[in-house]
Amino acid sequence: MKEVKVALLGAGTVGSAVVRLLQANAEEFNLRAGARLRVIGIAVRNLEAPRDPAIDRALLTTDAHAIIAQADIVIELMGGIEPAREYILAAFAAGASVVTGNKALLAEHGPELYDAAARAGVDLYYEAAVGGAVPVVYGLRESLAGDRVTHILGIVNGTTNYILDEMTTNGESFDAAVKKAQELGYAEADPSADVDGYDAAAKCAILASLAFHTRVQLSDVHTHGIRDITPEMIASAGRGGYVVKLVASAKRRANGIELYVGPTLIPAQHPLATVHGAYNAIVVEGEAADRLMFYGPGAGGNPTATAVLSDLVAAAHHRVHGGLAPRELAYGELPILPPAQARSRFQLSMDVADHVGVLSEVTGTFARHNVSISGVTQESPTADHLCRLTVTTHEALQADVEATIADLSAAAGPATVSTASFVRVEVA
Ligand code: HSE
């Protein structure tokens, strides 16, 4: 059997799981790849740090370039932009294929990497970048090459799904739920990448690029995190038949692509409403296939390692038998629509003065901005004579909804709006 030399960059949770699973099932992976997979070195920052017992310390090195130069396949699991980008480009220059799980790097520098892989005639695989074990990259790139995708709506960040689920199920505060997520190892000490939506936005850019054959970058994705979600908002959504989820949405419109990451009201009967804990789920709608759902563990060592290993097997198979992974396709060249041009159903919440004529003034403002209302609920006035109004709209232009809020907030009539906010609403 031919030998394929593998260099691993990074030996954290996922890297260690890759080594462990590869060792435990070596013969089977060799048979699948059609080659003997041999790890020739593992590049780490600190040689002395504690390591998983599966890691052979004799393979550890701080000289990534030395092992890249000898490798047939480089697995990059160090994360971050630099030096990961530099190492991957060095791997391509040396004729090696690359397997990576680096969503931030792909979302910011994907085109440079895809071009470099194509010029070198080698593979760039990245199943682990989105959805952990969930084969959604393969699904979009290969399985759905037979259809035209119209919408992707996904829970692609397990940490925030866990936090929102805790707040929903146990009525916990955001801070308490984050603390629990940190104790369980989901959230980092600095939880910003997850709770501010950046991790989901990077994944959104990757999925949208694949689905619409258009180059989409992290900065194209309008992103809002979950820091301002309260247990009260979640309870109020529940009374209306919704659950609050942080979703990534990429939608094909006649004039371009709408991209969005943010907290969204999901009807209780929608398949995403039943996704609990740190699980991921991505609903993909195709013109011909209709609605598909990819579901499973979106993070964690072993689940994510399975995605890396499947890419490793595919890349090794190509080294032995020839062939290449599908190239990046960017022929779509669809324009990215600004957030104000996005169309969605929305729910607006506002505190209004409890006076005669308030409702007519509020609904009149919606009408003036061409925003059609599908439902209104009013909660009893508080001691300071404010009522909480919740207004759900039919599909409307975000710019019109923002203009409605601006007008209501500035109104001098009886509808003195003290606070107003809006959130998107998905249809079941
Ligand atoms: N932190 C991510 C999540 C996993 O919580 O889903 C890695 O992207």
Side-chain angles (χ1 to χ4, degrees), residues 7 32 44 113 201 204 216 231 245 257-258 265 269 276 316 366 396:
R32 289 180 195 171
V44 293
L113 303 182
C204 185
V216 177
K245 296 287 189 190
I257 311 173
E258 283 174 16
L265 300 187
Q269 63 273 34
H276 296 294
F366 277 72

Side-chain angles (χ1 to χ4, degrees), residues 37-118:
L37 301 170
R38 184 162 74 87
V39 178
I40 58 162
I42 304 173
V44 293
R45 264 186 284 269
N46 179 2
L47 292 175
E48 309 308 325
R51 299 284 165 197
D52 186 289
I55 302 272
D56 175 359
R57 284 191 170 270
L59 293 176
L60 295 181
T61 175
T62 53
D63 188 352
H65 282 293
I67 58 172
I68 289 168
Q70 300 166 44
D72 299 303
I73 299 175
V74 172
I75 302 178
E76 184 275 308
L77 295 172
M78 49 199 307
I81 304 297
E82 296 292 357
R85 174 180 154 276
E86 178 207 324
Y87 291 158
I88 290 176
L89 292 173
F92 292 146
S97 291
V98 170
V99 173
T100 178
N102 194 329
K103 61 229 73 174
L105 180 60
L106 289 167
E108 285 187 39
H109 297 280
E112 181 187 21
L113 303 182
Y114 306 136
D115 286 347

Side-chain angles (χ1 to χ4, degrees), residues 103 129 156-160 186 188 194 199 203 278 280 298-300:
K103 61 229 73 174
V156 291
N157 184 268
T159 304
T160 45
Y186 298 141
E188 308 281 333
D194 293 316
D199 175 80
K203 293 166 179 170
N280 281 193

Side-chain angles (χ1 to χ4, degrees), residues 239-316:
R239 288 193 292 278
Y242 296 105
V243 289
V244 179
K245 296 287 189 190
L246 181 82
V247 299
S249 173
K251 193 173 255 185
R252 184 195 290 270
R253 297 285 192 184
N255 54 343
I257 311 173
E258 283 174 16
L259 298 159
Y260 167 76
V261 164
T264 299
L265 300 187
I266 304 289
Q269 63 273 34
H270 190 286
L272 290 186
T274 58
V275 177
H276 296 294
Y279 273 75
N280 281 193
I282 300 106
V283 171
V284 179
E285 287 175 18
E287 272 181 4
D290 209 343
R291 189 184 258 186
L292 310 171
M293 180 151 105
F294 297 81
Y295 171 81
N302 277 351
T304 309
T306 65
V308 174
L309 288 164
S310 84
D311 284 351
L312 175 62
V313 166

